[in-house]
């Protein structure tokens, strides 16, 4: 015969397992979301770029495309992921590269903003802008996803 | 060396006219960008008698330390004006304005620089003072210590290209130069009637390939000790031999470079050849290379660099007749002495270095270099250890590099 006292521990255990399982799912999805990058451009842009071209844009070697890249500030996690997944260089190597480009008079590094919201706002207002963000939940209609980096 | 006054006028005109047009514009201050770079380098050479690049057996902070300021004035969408000046105690450099040019960009892929600028001989020639831009403290000496001149007054054009697979650029320049040229133990006046070059750069994924060709007419003022001999040879009709003792001719530079960068490792190599052929017997045909292998463990990176140079002189036929007169015999002897005492700067080096990126714009470096010359050679040493048949030693350096 099942009494309330016998059922309660089982329910408690089941509930605890449910919370742990759900939490793990949520954690996994948030980690996955954090590891995903979204390359965004203005909605009016007709561009179709591959990953190599996106890298070239942010390294200043695709000037013929007439794009204005926007970087997040150094130390931003999203920027670190972009360096890892798209540029394929460490932050220090990228800084050395831009020191060479800047002080040889060849080109200047991309514009930098402090937050992803600022990057999205800049892309929204500039037809030739391109940026990267980790979340597209708050993307306005004037900004679209060009490329997804897993 | 002093910047040509013509380019000073161009720069000031550009800045003043741009400032005048934007006098009531609150964004005019935004048009002027001031940046800076610098380095403090401490070094010590382990030899009691020999001196290499200014380093002896006492700790020195003078030789490679410098601070520089750069002004970029963006007059409008197409025109900018740039000035860059350095201050240093390095004997091989001169404090003052290094770069002074107008930058014109008619399109996204085309640009021109008009004025005083650095010659892009090798991969890092035009940023040699920006230690933050490269992994070493001292770029490999067998290669980066060897050219007649580093700057020119003229025009440099650049064209960029890219597609879905690769990107690159072509650069070409033409100009001239008149000023001082510093070597390991002398400063001479040099006149470059013309110098021009073509540089191709090609990028595929993490690889960068560079091919460059430079040529110019050089006329270096004769060494004070050689001037009387040159004059005596000219006076006695041996004009060809007199000319062979002058550094005047057309040297050519060819360089090939390959660069690979990834998250874990980096690799750089350059192979160069400088040759004046038979036109300048006092200048050797030099073949140099370096190879750097590096490993990244952010924020640290380590490198191992091997470098070497080989110099070979051309000796023209001696046409002064022997045994006719004591004066001619003496001239012949002196000419032979000059040919036989041309310095041998063959040099081999191995460098191990470590870099720590403190922040996005400050780096610390430490480096140890083993140097070895050939028997009886100078090996680019400023002061030789006369007790040794072969110049060699170890150079230890520590540096703080920054850019702002």
């Amino acid at each position: 015969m099942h009494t309330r006292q016998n059922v309660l521990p089982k329910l408690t255990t089941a509930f605890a397992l449910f919370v742990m399982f759900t939490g793990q799912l949520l954690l996994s999805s948030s980690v996955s979301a954090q590891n995903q990058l979204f390359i965004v451009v203005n909605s009016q842009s007709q561009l179709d770029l591959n990953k190599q071209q996106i890298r070239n844009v942010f390294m200043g070697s695709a000037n013929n495309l007439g794009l204005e890249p926007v970087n997040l500030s150094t130390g931003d996690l999203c920027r670190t992921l972009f360096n890892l997944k798209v540029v394929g260089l460490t932050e220090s190597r990228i800084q050395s590269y831009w020191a060479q480009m800047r002080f040889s008079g060849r080109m200047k590094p991309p514009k930098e903003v402090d937050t992803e919201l600022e990057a999205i706002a800049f892309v929204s207002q500039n037809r030739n802008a391109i940026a990267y963000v980790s979340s597209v939940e708050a993307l306005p209609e004037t900004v679209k996803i060009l490329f997804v980096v897993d | 060396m002093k910047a040509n006054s013509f380019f000073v006028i161009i720069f000031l005109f550009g800045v003043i006219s741009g400032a005048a047009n934007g006098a009531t514009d609150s964004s005019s201050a935004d048009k002027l960008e001031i940046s800076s770079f610098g380095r403090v380098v401490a070094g010590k050479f382990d030899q009691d008698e020999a001196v290499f690049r200014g380093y002896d057996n006492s700790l020195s902070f003078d030789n490679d330390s410098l601070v520089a300021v750069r002004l970029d004035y963006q007059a409008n969408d197409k025109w900018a004006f740039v000035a860059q000046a350095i201050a240093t105690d390095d004997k091989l450099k001169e404090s003052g304005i290094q770069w002074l040019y107008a930058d014109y960009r008619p399109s996204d892929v085309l640009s021109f620089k008009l004025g005083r600028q650095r010659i892009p001989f090798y991969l890092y020639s035009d940023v040699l003072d920006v230690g933050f831009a490269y992994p070493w403290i001292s770029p490999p000496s067998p290669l980066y210590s060897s050219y007649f001149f580093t700057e020119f007054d003229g025009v440099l054009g650049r064209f960029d290209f890219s597609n879905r697979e690769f990107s690159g650029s072509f650069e070409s320049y033409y100009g001239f130069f008149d000023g001082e040229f510093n070597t390991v133990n002398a400063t001479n006046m040099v006149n470059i009637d013309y110098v021009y070059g073509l540089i191709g750069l090609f990028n595929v994924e993490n690889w960068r390939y560079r091919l460059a060709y430079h040529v110019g007419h050089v006329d270096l003022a004769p060494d004070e000790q050689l001037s009387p001999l040159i004059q005596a040879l000219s006076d006695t009709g041996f004009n060809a031999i007199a000319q062979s003792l002058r550094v005047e001719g057309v040297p050519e530079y060819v360089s090939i470079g390959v660069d690979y960068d990834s998250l874990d490792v980096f690799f750089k190599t350059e192979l160069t050849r400088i040759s004046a052929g038979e036109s300048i017997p006092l200048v050797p045909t030099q073949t140099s290379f370096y190879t750097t292998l590096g490993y990244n463990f952010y924020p640290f990176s380590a490198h191992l660099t091997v470098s070497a140079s080989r110099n070979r002189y051309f000796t023209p036929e001696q046409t002064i007749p022997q045994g006719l007169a004591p004066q001619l015999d003496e001239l012949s002897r002196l000419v032979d002495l000059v040919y036989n005492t041309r310095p041998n700067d063959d040099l081999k080096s191995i460098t191990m270095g470590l870099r720590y990126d403190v922040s996005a714009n400050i780096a610390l470096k430490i480096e140890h270099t083993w140097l070895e010359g050939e028997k009886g050679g100078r090996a680019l040493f400023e002061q030789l250890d006369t007790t040794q048949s072969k110049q060699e030693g170890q150079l230890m350096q520590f540096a703080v590099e920054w850019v702002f």
Side-chain angles (χ1 to χ4, degrees):
Chain A
M1 178 175 169
H2 295 283
T3 64
R4 189 171 296 174
Q5 285 180 322
N6 290 338
V7 169
L8 193 56
K10 290 181 182 176
L11 281 175
T12 305
T13 304
F15 180 73
L17 285 172
F18 172 77
V19 169
M20 285 171 56
F21 180 66
T22 308
Q24 187 64 32
L25 269 181
L26 288 172
L27 182 64
S28 298
S29 63
S30 69
V31 167
S32 297
Q34 284 178 3
N35 286 342
Q36 241 182 2
L37 284 176
F38 302 90
I39 311 299
V40 295
V41 294
N42 190 281
S43 296
Q44 295 182 57
S45 172
Q46 304 296 317
L47 283 174
D48 172 27
L49 303 180
N50 62 16
K51 191 171 162 186
Q52 180 65 36
Q53 288 176 300
I54 293 168
R55 180 193 191 273
N56 290 343
V57 167
F58 279 85
M59 295 298 281
S61 50
N63 295 331
N64 58 314
L65 296 175
L67 292 173
E68 187 173 0
V70 180
N71 248 332
L72 295 173
S73 54
T74 313
D76 188 290
L77 178 61
C78 188
R79 172 170 170 143
T80 303
L81 282 174
F82 182 77
N83 292 346
L84 176 71
K85 291 171 177 284
V86 179
V87 181
L89 297 175
T90 62
E91 182 65 51
S92 62
R93 182 65 194 99
I94 293 171
Q95 293 294 334
S96 294
Y97 169 82
W98 282 115
Q100 183 183 9
M101 292 299 111
R102 181 156 53 118
F103 291 107
S104 65
R106 287 188 172 83
M107 59 187 101
K108 295 179 183 178
K111 176 185 173 65
E112 273 192 17
V113 296
D114 291 327
T115 66
E116 293 185 31
L117 283 177
E118 288 177 59
I120 292 171
F122 187 85
V123 171
S124 173
Q125 294 157 15
N126 293 276
R127 186 172 178 172
N128 296 325
I130 180 171
Y132 52 86
V133 293
S134 61
S135 168
V136 291
E137 289 177 5
L139 219 53
E141 288 181 355
T142 48
V143 177
K144 66 178 181 181
I145 300 171
L146 175 71
F147 196 90
V148 179
V149 182
D150 292 316
Chain B
M1 64 269 314
K2 298 190 190 313
N4 188 301
S5 56
F6 171 70
F7 299 116
V8 173
I9 294 170
I10 286 182
F11 177 80
L12 291 176
F13 174 76
V15 172
I16 292 169
S17 62
N21 288 334
T24 57
D25 182 353
S26 63
S27 68
S28 60
D30 297 335
K31 293 185 176 184
L32 181 65
E33 185 181 298
I34 301 173
S35 52
S36 168
F37 60 87
R39 53 188 343 210
V40 174
V41 180
K44 185 176 177 183
F45 200 41
D46 74 336
Q47 299 297 301
D48 291 334
E49 301 294 331
V51 175
F52 181 77
R53 288 187 59 246
Y55 291 102
D56 55 24
N57 62 351
S58 63
L59 186 65
S60 166
F61 287 83
D62 295 339
N63 298 309
D64 287 307
S65 301
L66 59 89
V67 63
V69 174
R70 182 184 176 96
L71 304 177
D72 281 86
Y73 184 77
Q74 194 72 39
N76 55 43
D77 287 345
K78 291 187 170 32
W79 285 94
F81 298 87
V82 177
Q84 183 170 299
I86 71 162
T88 179
D89 279 339
D90 188 340
K91 287 182 292 185
L92 294 179
K93 296 186 179 68
E94 192 172 325
S95 296
I97 297 177
Q98 277 190 329
W99 301 60
L100 190 68
Y101 62 86
D103 189 316
Y104 175 57
R105 298 186 185 233
S107 74
D108 288 330
V109 298
L110 198 57
S111 63
F112 299 93
K113 291 194 286 193
L114 172 66
R116 166 66 58 87
Q117 52 202 294
R118 273 275 174 94
I119 297 180
F121 279 123
Y122 310 134
L123 199 54
Y124 292 100
S125 294
D126 44 6
V127 289
L128 215 54
D129 295 328
V130 190
F132 190 87
Y134 45 77
W136 321 281
I137 294 178
S138 295
S141 290
L143 193 141
Y144 277 93
S145 297
S146 307
Y147 25 76
F148 280 109
F149 42 90
T150 55
E151 280 126 13
F152 76 103
D153 296 327
V155 59
L156 182 145
R158 176 185 165 102
F159 173 73
D160 295 311
F161 58 89
S162 73
N163 66 13
R164 292 179 73 84
E165 307 303 329
F166 59 82
S167 65
S169 66
F170 289 115
E171 290 181 343
S172 185
Y173 68 90
Y174 181 88
F176 54 90
F177 180 75
D178 199 356
E180 288 181 351
F181 167 61
N182 298 314
T183 59
V184 291
N185 47 22
T187 296
N188 297 87
M189 295 304 296
V190 64
N191 174 257
I192 313 293
D193 287 336
Y194 65 84
V195 59
Y196 59 88
L198 188 62
I199 302 103
L201 197 63
F202 192 68
N203 308 302
V204 179
E205 294 185 352
N206 293 47
W207 290 91
R208 183 165 58 160
Y209 304 91
R210 186 179 190 274
L211 181 63
Y213 171 78
H214 313 269
V215 63
H217 181 262
V218 175
D219 186 359
L220 198 68
D223 187 278
E224 285 180 356
Q225 294 178 332
L226 277 181
S227 292
L229 177 59
I230 294 172
Q231 188 62 51
L233 287 164
S234 296
D235 291 343
T236 47
F238 296 105
N239 295 315
I241 300 178
Q243 182 61 31
S244 76
L245 299 184
R246 294 179 57 88
V247 179
E248 181 185 354
V250 184
E252 294 179 311
Y253 298 67
V254 178
S255 74
I256 301 171
V258 179
D259 191 295
Y260 174 79
D261 264 304
S262 73
L263 285 169
D264 301 316
V265 297
F266 58 93
F267 165 80
K268 298 177 195 300
T269 190
E270 286 190 270
L271 175 66
T272 71
R273 188 166 187 270
I274 306 171
S275 173
E278 299 177 0
S279 64
I280 317 179
L282 292 189
V283 174
T285 294
Q286 184 191 76
T287 306
S288 312
F289 89 95
Y290 75 84
T291 296
T292 292
L293 285 173
Y295 180 68
N296 295 315
F297 46 112
Y298 187 74
F300 293 92
S301 60
H303 75 87
L304 175 67
T305 299
V306 175
S307 182
S309 66
R310 196 181 83 144
N311 298 270
R312 292 297 176 265
Y313 288 97
F314 165 74
T315 302
E317 186 184 347
Q318 246 274 42
T319 58
I320 299 175
Q322 308 277 326
L324 290 183
Q327 295 88 342
L328 290 180
D329 290 345
E330 179 62 9
L331 278 180
S332 176
R333 185 189 72 80
L334 289 173
V335 170
D336 284 341
L337 182 65
V338 172
Y339 288 154
N340 293 335
T341 55
R342 288 171 297 185
N344 177 358
D345 283 323
D346 288 4
L347 179 64
K348 288 180 279 196
S349 73
I350 297 176
T351 303
M352 292 177 62
L354 184 69
R355 171 173 173 151
Y356 168 52
D357 280 83
V358 179
S359 68
N361 57 349
I362 300 175
L364 304 179
K365 295 176 184 172
I366 188 166
E367 198 162 273
H368 194 114
T369 301
W370 289 264
L371 298 156
E372 182 181 332
E374 293 293 317
K375 197 172 178 182
R378 184 177 67 175
L380 292 176
F381 281 40
E382 287 168 56
Q383 182 173 303
L384 307 183
D385 184 345
T386 53
T387 65
Q388 304 293 324
S389 60
K390 184 166 66 171
Q391 302 303 310
E392 56 188 0
Q394 298 179 39
L395 177 64
M396 292 142 284
Q397 294 172 291
F398 174 78
V400 181
E401 318 261 20
W402 68 88
V403 295
F404 287 104

